[in-house]
Structure formats: structure tokens, C-alpha cells
């Protein structure tokens, strides 16, 4: 249906397109606003970030209506995204708090719309994948530097970020929070984890290109990023960082295992030893990491368990359509179920949050999307010979996995700083997989 509308509009506006330099070069206007969305994420609030994303979406719609041949074609896993979005729409109209849910729905609309806009842009601009990853990498590297500097300032906590009741003052970690709005070390940790694979992957990219000086610089920023993630004190980020390294070693084995087996094993051992050494000799870091396993003895853990219990009860009562999307909607309903004396903005688990907000079928669609895109990405990495594209896909899918793993214990995923990066990574995967399918088709035709 949409393609019919686009074809009709393109035919009617063909004269306008042929005589407009702006429309013929609209991609050069879309790209800066995509990049500005990432840059704005480091210093601006949610509304300002969303403003740049809306401009990207608006320009994309203009392009689709005027540029001949611009059509929508759903990829393998995008069917799940569309299904998820349609279920969210149904949940919106079934919500008892329609006005509050409408605000949450609009955010979801912007995120999904931004994804399709970036995917549509990259469709004919595959060479700009490097630009997108470069800006994301520079933003994350810059935030790592800020966090590194903050770690030496011994910042005072601006909220109750950790349970210090059982710690000596010298064992309390001074948690860094960067420049992201709102200031929060968990948001900062989640942001760094989402973008860290770009910095790590750039090491492989530059080595493959034989830009060894750039590879050394990227390696230094990788170490810088690891240090800063540790200093955030975000325990979910610690676990996600371990996942990133584990997935990196597994996926890179395709290239290094046969030829550099001993060196490869030595590198893995060195990284593991570095992690154990950091936990052994830095007491504040050790206490923070071990608090993950303290269960109810840690007040932060205990609070989350209470929220999980209440959220499950909310889901049981609203399992079909959910309560409607949005943290404000969640906050209103949560008051009827909470087991603690404290309010909660979310379920502290993105899968439980999705189920509570939009029901069981939305969760199934979301999981279907994640599983499908993961299978497609890994299959491409294992069978492709294009090293540049393999690195791009590996960076993207590892970032997605890291965010999803972090999401088991937090809902930072729903913040725009992570959402726009997350969907950009999905758009990169979609673009590369589409390119691969086109190449295979051409080979068959020949």
C-alpha cells in the first residue's frame, strides 16, 4: 500500500524533483542530522535529541515521496519490528491511561521511524556506514575521556547510587557519570557498553586496512573505555563488558584460530588476567562487583527484586495488551502494586518492561526480532569473505547483544542515547545483509 502511494507521489512530483537541487541532493542533508542525533545525545536532553531524529524522519519522507525508485522493502527480521509496532498501537488504544500512554507511544514511533529512515538512507549510501560508526566511536571515546577525568575528581554522588552501609569509606567507588542527561552512572555505563564495540572493532578495522598508527590509537581508547566502564560502577555494564569480550573472541576465531592459535589463546588469557587483577587489587571495584551476588543483602538488589515481583503481578493482570507504553504510564500503575516504600520508574528489566507495557504478544514479537537478526548476522559473519562488512556486522550485533544483556537488570535501553545507537546498528546489519542478498542474486543470474 505504501509503495503505491510513493509511486503515485513520485510520478506526480517528478517535474519538481527534476528541477530541485535540494531534492536531488537530499541525502547530503539527511546525513548531517543523523550524525547530529548522535552528537546531541552526549550533551542534550531527550527533547533536543528527538528533534534531530524527527528532522531525519521528515527528510526521509520527503525523499520517499519525490525521488523516483525509492520504495520500501521489508527485510527478513523487519517483519517482526512491524508486528511489534502494530501490537504497541493496539496496546495504546487499550490503555486505561491513554494520554500518558500516547507520550510513550510517540517515543516508540520516533525510535522505529528513525531506524527505517537510517536503513533507507544506507540503502543507497553504503559507503557512509563508516561515517556513522566513526561519529559514534568518537562520541563514545570522548565520553570515556570525560569519565576518566571525573574519576580523579572523586565526585560526590548526586543520588543514592550504591549501598555503602557495609563498606569502609575507602572502599566506596566514586562513580562517574559523563555528560549525558540526566546525570546517572547507570545510563553512562549503558551508553559506553552500547558504543564500546565500535571502538574495539575499529582496532580490527584499522589492522585490516593496515593503518597501524590508527589501530594503536584505537587500542588506547579501548583501554580507556574499559577503565571508564569500571569507574561507572554499573554492575550491569560489567557483565555486558564480559559478554562483549566473549563474543568478540568467538566471532574473531574465524580469522585467527587456525593461523594464530597460540597468540589467540595468550590474548584471551591476558584479558582474563587483567580483569581478575583489577578485581583483586582494587578494593572498591571488587566490592562493587561482588555486590552483584549479594542478593537481598544489598539494598539496590533488594529493591530490584521487589520491583520484579510487583511488575510480574502487573503483567499477570494485564498479560494480553499490557498497560500501555511509557515510563510515566508505568509509574502511575506501579503505585497500585509496589511492595516497597519507594517509587519505581520502570521494571528494571527490558523484557519484563515490554511484557508489562504491551503484553505477551509484543514480547514474543520483540524476542522474535532479536533472535532472527542475531541468526542472520552470525550466519553472514561465518560465511562472508568481505572483511570490512564482517567487521561492521560484528560491531553492530555485539552492541545489540551487550545492550540486551545489560537489559536483564536495567531499562537504560529505553533512553534515547541508547535507542538511536541501537537502531542504527540494526540498520547497518540490515544494509549489509541486503547487499549480500543482492550480490548472491546477481551471481545466480549470471
Amino acid at each position: 500500500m505504501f509503495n503505491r502511494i510513493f509511486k503515485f507521489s513520485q510520478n506526480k512530483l517528478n517535474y519538481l524533483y527534476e528541477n530541485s537541487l535540494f531534492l536531488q541532493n537530499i541525502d547530503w542533508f539527511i546525513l548531517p542530522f543523523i550524525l547530529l542525533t548522535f552528537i546531541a545525545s552526549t550533551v542534550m536532553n531527550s527533547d533536543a535529541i528527538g528533534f534531530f531524529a524527527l528532522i531525519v524522519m521528515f527528510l526521509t519522507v520527503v525523499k520517499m515521496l519525490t525521488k523516483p525508485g525509492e520504495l520500501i522493502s521489508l527485510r527478513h527480521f523487519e517483519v517482526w519490528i512491524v508486528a511489534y509496532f502494530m501490537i504497541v498501537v493496539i496496546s495504546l488504544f487499550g490503555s486505561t491511561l491513554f494520554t500518558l500512554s500516547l507520550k510513550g507511544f510517540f517515543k516508540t514511533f520516533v525510535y522505529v521511524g528513525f531506524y527505517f529512515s537510517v536503513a533507507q538512507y544506507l540503502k543507497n549510501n553504503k559507503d557512509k556506514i563508516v561515517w556513522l560508526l566513526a561519529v559514534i566511536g568518537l562520541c563514545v571515546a570522548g565520553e570515556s575521556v570525560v569519565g576518566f577525568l571525573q574519576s580523579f575528581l572523586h565526585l560526590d554522588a548526586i543520588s543514592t547510587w550504591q549501598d555503602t552501609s557495609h563498606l569502609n569509606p575507602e572502599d566506596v567507588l566514586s562513580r562517574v557519570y559523563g555528560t549525558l542527561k540526566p546525570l546517572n552512572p547507570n545510563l553512562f555505563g549503558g551508553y559506553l557498553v552500547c558504543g564500546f564495540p565500535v571502538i574495539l572493532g575499529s582496532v580490527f578495522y584499522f589492522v585490516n586496512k593496515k593503518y597501524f598508527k590508527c589501530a594503536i590509537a584505537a587500542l588506547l581508547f579501548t583501554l580507556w573505555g574499559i577503565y571508564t566502564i569500571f569507574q561507572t560502577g554499573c554492575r550491569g555494564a560489567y557483565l555486558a563488558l564480559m559478554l562483549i569480550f566473549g563474543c568478540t573472541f568467538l566471532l574473531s576465531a574465524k580469522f585467527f584460530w587456525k593461523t594464530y592459535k597460540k597468540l589467540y589463546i595468550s590474548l584471551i588469557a591476558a584479558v582474563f588476567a587483567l580483569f581478575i587483577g583489577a578485581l583483586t587489587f582494587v578494593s572498591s571495584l571488587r566490592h562493587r562487583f561482588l555486590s552483584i551476588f549479594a542478593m537481598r543483602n544489598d539494598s539496590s538488589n533488594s529493591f530490584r527484586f521487589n520491583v520484579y515481583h510487583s511488575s510480574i503481578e502487573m503483567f499477570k493482570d494485564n498479560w494480553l495488551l499490557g498497560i500501555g507504553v511509557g515510563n510515566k504510564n508505568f509509574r502511575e500503575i506501579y503505585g497500585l502494586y509496589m511492595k516497597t516504600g519507594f517509587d519505581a520508574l520502570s521494571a528494571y528489566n527490558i523484557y519484563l518492561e515490554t511484557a508489562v507495557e504491551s503484553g505477551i504478544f509484543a514480547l514474543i514479537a520483540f524476542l522474535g526480532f532479536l533472535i532472527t537478526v542475531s541468526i542472520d548476522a552470525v550466519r553472514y559473519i561465518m560465511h562472508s569473505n568481505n572483511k570490512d562488512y564482517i567487521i561492521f556486522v560484528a560491531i553492530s550485533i555485539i552492541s545489540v547483544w551487550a545492550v540486551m544483556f545489560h537489559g536483564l537488570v536495567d531499562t537504560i535501553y529505553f533512553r534515547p542515547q541508547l535507542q538511536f545507537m541501537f537502531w542504527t546498528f540494526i540498520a547497518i546489519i540490515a544494509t549489509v545483509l541486503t547487499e549480500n542478498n543482492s550480490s548472491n542474486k546477481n551471481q545466480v543470474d549470471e
Side-chain angles (χ1 to χ4, degrees):
M1 180 183 73
F2 288 109
N3 283 338
R4 290 181 181 178
I5 295 174
F6 292 140
K7 286 181 179 179
F8 176 81
S9 176
Q10 290 164 13
N11 290 332
K12 293 296 182 181
L13 299 176
N14 184 62
Y15 178 81
L16 178 63
Y17 178 82
E18 293 294 336
N19 293 275
S20 172
L21 289 176
F22 169 74
L23 292 177
Q24 292 176 15
N25 297 278
I26 195 169
D27 280 348
W28 286 103
F29 293 91
I30 294 175
L31 178 61
F33 286 105
I34 294 176
L35 302 181
L36 280 172
T37 303
F38 305 138
I39 297 171
S41 296
T42 62
V43 292
M44 295 184 178
N45 59 31
S46 299
D47 292 338
I49 301 169
F51 174 73
F52 291 116
L54 283 172
I55 294 177
V56 173
M57 294 167 59
F58 172 75
L59 292 176
T60 300
V61 172
V62 171
K63 182 176 76 170
M64 296 293 293
L65 292 173
T66 58
K67 186 176 180 179
E70 286 291 326
L71 301 173
I72 295 176
S73 57
L74 289 181
R75 299 162 183 85
H76 188 51
F77 55 81
E78 287 176 335
V79 176
W80 288 105
I81 300 176
V82 173
Y84 168 76
F85 183 76
M86 295 306 298
I87 295 170
V88 169
V89 172
I90 297 172
S91 175
L92 166 68
F93 287 99
S95 175
T96 56
L97 298 174
F98 179 80
T99 303
L100 291 179
S101 186
L102 185 62
K103 295 179 180 179
F105 169 78
F106 181 70
K107 292 179 181 179
T108 303
F109 171 76
V110 172
Y111 297 147
V112 175
F114 182 80
Y115 160 70
F116 279 103
S117 297
V118 175
Q120 197 67 27
Y121 170 80
L122 291 178
K123 183 178 180 181
N124 299 314
N125 297 277
K126 298 178 181 65
D127 59 316
K128 299 301 188 297
I129 291 176
V130 176
W131 291 42
L132 270 59
L133 291 176
V135 171
I136 291 175
L138 289 172
C139 289
V140 174
E143 284 298 318
S144 296
V145 173
V146 172
F148 177 80
L149 296 175
Q150 288 179 341
S151 69
F152 292 99
L153 299 177
H154 300 290
L155 304 171
D156 293 329
I158 57 178
S159 66
T160 53
W161 286 338
Q162 57 182 320
D163 186 354
T164 60
S165 58
H166 303 293
L167 298 177
N168 295 323
E170 62 270 17
D171 291 332
V172 176
L173 184 67
S174 179
R175 303 180 65 185
V176 300
Y177 44 78
T179 63
L180 307 184
K181 303 293 187 298
L183 301 176
N184 186 307
N186 286 341
L187 171 60
F188 190 44
Y191 175 83
L192 292 177
V193 159
C194 184
F196 180 75
V198 178
I199 302 177
L200 180 60
S202 65
V203 177
F204 294 91
Y205 179 79
F206 289 132
V207 169
N208 181 52
K209 293 292 187 181
K210 300 189 183 331
Y211 301 154
F212 297 114
K213 291 183 179 179
C214 292
I216 293 173
L219 181 60
L220 291 175
F221 276 109
T222 298
L223 297 174
W224 216 327
I226 294 171
Y227 174 84
T228 306
I229 290 174
F230 281 153
Q231 289 300 123
T232 65
C234 179
R235 296 169 296 178
Y238 294 170
L239 298 175
L241 183 62
M242 295 170 62
L243 178 76
I244 289 172
F245 280 113
C247 293
T248 300
F249 288 132
L250 287 174
L251 294 180
S252 61
K254 171 183 176 180
F255 304 99
F256 302 117
W257 185 257
K258 291 183 179 179
T259 308
Y260 305 102
K261 183 176 181 179
K262 292 183 179 180
L263 179 62
Y264 191 72
I265 295 175
S266 299
L267 181 61
I268 296 174
V271 172
F272 182 75
L274 179 64
F275 180 76
I276 297 300
L279 293 181
T280 302
F281 297 106
V282 183
S283 60
S284 58
L285 181 61
R286 180 175 66 256
H287 286 289
R288 185 61 182 164
F289 182 80
L290 292 178
S291 67
I292 297 174
F293 311 101
M295 305 306 285
R296 286 283 184 177
N297 291 325
D298 182 87
S299 62
S300 179
N301 293 350
S302 184
F303 173 73
R304 275 174 165 76
F305 290 142
N306 289 335
V307 174
Y308 295 154
H309 180 271
S310 299
S311 298
I312 291 173
E313 294 301 315
M314 292 169 65
F315 170 68
K316 288 180 179 179
D317 291 343
N318 304 274
W319 66 271
L320 184 60
L321 296 178
I323 62 174
V325 292
N327 64 304
K328 292 184 178 180
N329 200 38
F330 180 93
R331 190 173 185 177
E332 288 293 324
I333 303 297
Y334 179 79
L336 303 174
Y337 293 85
M338 66 180 183
K339 303 297 182 181
T340 71
F342 301 94
D343 199 1
L345 298 177
S346 66
Y348 288 98
N349 179 294
I350 59 176
Y351 308 101
L352 183 56
E353 180 87 10
T354 300
V356 169
E357 290 185 352
S358 304
I360 185 65
F361 294 109
L363 177 60
I364 292 173
F366 185 67
L367 291 175
F369 151 66
L370 291 175
I371 294 171
T372 305
V373 73
S374 296
I375 292 174
D376 289 351
V378 172
R379 184 180 291 127
Y380 177 85
I381 293 171
M382 291 296 101
H383 296 96
S384 176
N385 294 317
N386 188 323
K387 291 184 180 180
D388 285 353
Y389 278 178
I390 288 174
I391 292 172
F392 296 157
V393 173
I395 287 172
S396 300
I397 197 61
I398 290 174
S399 295
V400 169
W401 290 340
V403 172
M404 292 298 99
F405 193 61
H406 184 201
L408 290 171
V409 293
D410 213 328
T411 46
I412 298 302
Y413 161 77
F414 293 106
R415 298 295 305 177
Q417 290 90 341
L418 271 74
Q419 280 280 309
F420 291 123
M421 274 203 297
F422 176 89
W423 287 112
T424 299
F425 291 135
I426 298 297
I428 290 172
I429 294 172
T431 302
V432 173
L433 294 184
T434 302
E435 171 72 11
N436 183 58
N437 291 336
S438 299
S439 299
N440 292 339
K441 184 178 179 180
N442 292 333
Q443 291 176 1
V444 172
D445 293 339
E446 292 174 1

